[in-house]
Amino acid sequence: GASIVHSEAGNLIAHLVTIIRAEFGLSALATCIFPYPTVAEAIRKIGDDFNRRRLTPTAKSALETLLTVRKTI
Protein backbone atom coordinates (compact mmCIF):
# COMPACT_ATOMS: atom_id res chain seq x y z
CA GLY A 1 0.00 0.00 0.00
CA ALA A 2 0.93 3.63 -0.15
CA SER A 3 -0.02 6.87 1.56
CA ILE A 4 0.74 10.40 0.45
CA VAL A 5 0.14 13.56 2.46
CA HIS A 6 0.64 16.47 0.11
CA SER A 7 -1.42 19.10 -1.66
CA GLU A 8 -0.78 17.18 -4.94
CA ALA A 9 -1.54 13.75 -3.46
CA GLY A 10 -4.31 13.10 -6.00
CA ASN A 11 -1.83 13.51 -8.86
CA LEU A 12 0.91 11.49 -7.20
CA ILE A 13 -1.02 8.47 -5.99
CA ALA A 14 -1.84 7.29 -9.53
CA HIS A 15 1.83 6.46 -10.14
CA LEU A 16 2.07 4.42 -6.97
CA VAL A 17 -1.20 2.61 -7.65
CA THR A 18 0.12 1.58 -11.07
CA ILE A 19 3.36 0.26 -9.58
CA ILE A 20 1.49 -1.65 -6.86
CA ARG A 21 -1.17 -3.10 -9.17
CA ALA A 22 1.46 -4.26 -11.66
CA GLU A 23 3.45 -5.79 -8.76
CA PHE A 24 6.65 -4.09 -9.89
CA GLY A 25 7.94 -3.15 -6.42
CA LEU A 26 9.76 -0.08 -5.18
CA SER A 27 12.89 -0.66 -7.25
CA ALA A 28 10.81 -0.14 -10.42
CA LEU A 29 10.23 3.49 -9.39
CA ALA A 30 13.88 4.29 -10.01
CA THR A 31 13.54 3.28 -13.67
CA CYS A 32 10.38 5.32 -14.32
CA ILE A 33 10.78 8.47 -16.37
CA PHE A 34 8.71 11.40 -15.14
CA PRO A 35 8.60 14.84 -16.75
CA TYR A 36 10.84 17.18 -14.82
CA PRO A 37 10.45 19.33 -12.83
CA THR A 38 7.15 18.15 -11.40
CA VAL A 39 5.87 17.01 -8.06
CA ALA A 40 5.72 13.48 -9.55
CA GLU A 41 9.52 13.51 -9.63
CA ALA A 42 9.32 12.86 -5.88
CA ILE A 43 7.91 9.41 -6.68
CA ARG A 44 11.01 8.47 -8.72
CA LYS A 45 13.22 9.77 -5.94
CA ILE A 46 11.52 7.36 -3.55
CA GLY A 47 12.62 4.53 -5.84
CA ASP A 48 16.15 5.92 -6.00
CA ASP A 49 16.27 6.15 -2.21
CA PHE A 50 15.03 2.58 -1.90
CA ASN A 51 17.76 1.33 -4.27
CA ARG A 52 20.47 3.25 -2.37
CA ARG A 53 19.38 1.68 0.90
CA ARG A 54 19.45 -1.83 -0.62
CA LEU A 55 23.20 -1.60 -1.18
CA THR A 56 24.83 -4.08 1.17
CA PRO A 57 27.83 -3.01 3.24
CA THR A 58 30.06 -5.38 1.23
CA ALA A 59 28.88 -3.99 -2.12
CA LYS A 60 29.22 -0.42 -0.83
CA SER A 61 32.79 -1.07 0.31
CA ALA A 62 33.68 -2.66 -3.04
CA LEU A 63 32.25 0.30 -4.96
CA GLU A 64 34.04 2.82 -2.75
CA THR A 65 37.32 0.96 -3.30
CA LEU A 66 36.76 0.86 -7.06
CA LEU A 67 35.92 4.56 -7.22
CA THR A 68 38.94 5.47 -5.07
CA VAL A 69 41.24 3.44 -7.33
CA ARG A 70 39.81 5.09 -10.45
CA LYS A 71 40.37 8.57 -8.99
CA THR A 72 44.05 7.85 -8.37
CA ILE A 73 44.69 6.56 -11.91
Side-chain angles (χ1 to χ4, degrees), residues 63-73:
L63 285 172
E64 287 174 344
T65 301
L66 177 66
L67 292 175
T68 302
V69 170
R70 291 186 132 199
K71 286 181 182 178
T72 59
I73 295 177

Side-chain angles (χ1 to χ4, degrees), residues 7-71:
S7 62
E8 295 290 327
N11 293 325
L12 294 170
I13 198 70
H15 301 294
L16 294 177
V17 169
T18 302
I19 295 290
I20 292 168
R21 295 281 298 177
E23 298 181 3
F24 288 139
L26 280 175
S27 60
L29 290 174
T31 63
C32 291
I33 300 171
F34 295 104
Y36 186 80
T38 66
V39 177
E41 181 70 11
I43 300 276
R44 188 191 58 78
K45 290 183 180 187
I46 291 168
D48 287 343
D49 186 54
F50 173 76
N51 280 336
R52 275 192 296 279
R53 292 173 191 240
R54 287 188 329 159
L55 195 59
T56 65
T58 303
K60 184 178 179 181
S61 176
L63 285 172
E64 287 174 344
T65 301
L66 177 66
L67 292 175
T68 302
V69 170
R70 291 186 132 199
K71 286 181 182 178

